[in-house]
Amino acid sequence: MSSGIRGELSSVTELAALGQLLEEHRSRLLGMLRRRIDPALAVRIDPEEILNETFLQAVQKWSDYSRQQQVTPYAWLYRIALDCLIDAWRRQTRGL
Protein backbone atom coordinates (compact mmCIF):
# COMPACT_ATOMS: atom_id res chain seq x y z
CA MET A 1 0.00 0.00 0.00
CA SER A 2 1.40 3.41 -0.90
CA SER A 3 2.06 6.03 1.74
CA GLY A 4 -0.53 8.36 0.14
CA ILE A 5 -3.33 5.87 0.68
CA ARG A 6 -2.06 4.97 4.14
CA GLY A 7 -2.23 8.65 5.08
CA GLU A 8 -5.93 8.88 4.21
CA LEU A 9 -7.21 5.49 5.33
CA SER A 10 -6.26 4.16 8.72
CA SER A 11 -6.42 0.50 7.74
CA VAL A 12 -6.65 -2.00 4.95
CA THR A 13 -10.12 -2.78 6.31
CA GLU A 14 -11.24 0.78 5.57
CA LEU A 15 -9.79 0.58 2.06
CA ALA A 16 -11.69 -2.66 1.51
CA ALA A 17 -14.88 -1.08 2.87
CA LEU A 18 -14.52 1.84 0.48
CA GLY A 19 -13.89 -0.55 -2.42
CA GLN A 20 -16.98 -2.53 -1.50
CA LEU A 21 -19.03 0.66 -1.24
CA LEU A 22 -17.96 1.72 -4.71
CA GLU A 23 -18.66 -1.75 -6.09
CA GLU A 24 -22.20 -1.67 -4.62
CA HIS A 25 -22.96 1.54 -6.50
CA ARG A 26 -20.83 0.85 -9.58
CA SER A 27 -23.63 0.17 -12.08
CA ARG A 28 -25.64 3.23 -11.05
CA LEU A 29 -22.59 5.47 -11.18
CA LEU A 30 -21.52 4.13 -14.58
CA GLY A 31 -25.05 4.67 -15.89
CA MET A 32 -25.00 8.26 -14.68
CA LEU A 33 -21.61 8.87 -16.25
CA ARG A 34 -22.63 7.32 -19.58
CA ARG A 35 -25.75 9.49 -19.72
CA ARG A 36 -23.82 12.66 -18.95
CA ILE A 37 -20.89 12.22 -21.34
CA ASP A 38 -21.47 14.22 -24.49
CA PRO A 39 -21.51 11.85 -27.49
CA ALA A 40 -18.91 14.06 -29.19
CA LEU A 41 -16.52 13.41 -26.29
CA ALA A 42 -17.39 9.76 -25.71
CA VAL A 43 -14.36 8.62 -27.71
CA ARG A 44 -12.05 10.60 -25.41
CA ILE A 45 -13.77 10.23 -22.03
CA ASP A 46 -14.17 6.68 -20.73
CA PRO A 47 -16.73 6.21 -17.91
CA GLU A 48 -14.58 3.42 -16.42
CA GLU A 49 -11.61 5.78 -16.17
CA ILE A 50 -13.82 8.38 -14.50
CA LEU A 51 -14.97 5.75 -12.02
CA ASN A 52 -11.34 4.82 -11.28
CA GLU A 53 -10.59 8.48 -10.64
CA THR A 54 -13.68 8.60 -8.41
CA PHE A 55 -12.19 5.82 -6.27
CA LEU A 56 -8.87 7.66 -5.95
CA GLN A 57 -10.66 10.86 -4.96
CA ALA A 58 -12.85 8.96 -2.50
CA VAL A 59 -9.73 7.53 -0.85
CA GLN A 60 -8.49 11.07 -0.24
CA LYS A 61 -11.87 12.21 1.13
CA TRP A 62 -12.72 9.08 3.12
CA SER A 63 -11.63 10.31 6.54
CA ASP A 64 -13.87 13.39 6.33
CA TYR A 65 -16.81 11.38 5.05
CA SER A 66 -16.46 8.57 7.59
CA ARG A 67 -16.44 11.06 10.46
CA GLN A 68 -19.46 13.07 9.30
CA GLN A 69 -21.61 10.90 7.01
CA GLN A 70 -24.07 13.72 6.42
CA VAL A 71 -25.14 12.25 3.08
CA THR A 72 -25.81 8.73 1.86
CA PRO A 73 -22.86 6.80 0.46
CA TYR A 74 -24.36 6.89 -3.04
CA ALA A 75 -24.87 10.65 -2.95
CA TRP A 76 -21.29 11.13 -1.72
CA LEU A 77 -19.86 8.94 -4.49
CA TYR A 78 -22.20 10.52 -7.08
CA ARG A 79 -20.85 13.99 -6.27
CA ILE A 80 -17.25 12.81 -6.48
CA ALA A 81 -17.93 11.04 -9.80
CA LEU A 82 -19.65 14.13 -11.19
CA ASP A 83 -16.72 16.32 -10.12
CA CYS A 84 -14.31 13.90 -11.82
CA LEU A 85 -16.41 14.00 -14.98
CA ILE A 86 -16.45 17.80 -14.97
CA ASP A 87 -12.67 17.84 -14.58
CA ALA A 88 -12.28 15.40 -17.49
CA TRP A 89 -14.64 17.48 -19.63
CA ARG A 90 -12.63 20.62 -18.88
CA ARG A 91 -9.36 18.89 -19.80
CA GLN A 92 -10.82 17.64 -23.08
CA THR A 93 -12.48 20.91 -24.11
CA ARG A 94 -9.74 23.29 -23.04
CA GLY A 95 -8.79 25.51 -25.94
CA LEU A 96 -11.77 24.62 -28.13
Side-chain angles (χ1 to χ4, degrees):
M1 184 182 309
S2 75
S3 60
I5 291 175
R6 200 174 303 142
E8 300 299 332
L9 297 173
S10 63
S11 71
V12 173
T13 304
E14 285 185 347
L15 182 62
L18 179 56
Q20 182 178 357
L21 188 65
L22 187 66
E23 196 55 38
E24 286 174 20
H25 300 291
R26 180 181 198 74
S27 64
R28 286 176 68 192
L29 291 168
L30 278 173
M32 177 275 291
L33 291 168
R34 287 184 180 119
R35 286 187 302 274
R36 289 182 174 266
I37 294 174
D38 184 321
L41 292 175
V43 295
R44 296 188 291 179
I45 298 177
D46 179 16
E48 292 284 348
E49 287 181 26
I50 301 297
L51 203 55
N52 290 338
E53 180 63 28
T54 298
F55 179 76
L56 296 175
Q57 292 293 319
V59 166
Q60 294 175 355
K61 298 174 182 188
W62 177 256
S63 62
D64 290 337
Y65 175 74
S66 64
R67 279 194 309 262
Q68 297 174 5
Q69 292 186 355
Q70 295 176 343
V71 297
T72 65
Y74 176 74
W76 179 67
L77 289 169
Y78 181 100
R79 183 72 240 181
I80 295 171
L82 187 58
D83 289 345
C84 289
L85 177 58
I86 290 167
D87 289 343
W89 178 85
R90 287 179 178 152
R91 282 190 304 272
Q92 293 299 323
T93 60
R94 190 177 302 142
L96 292 180

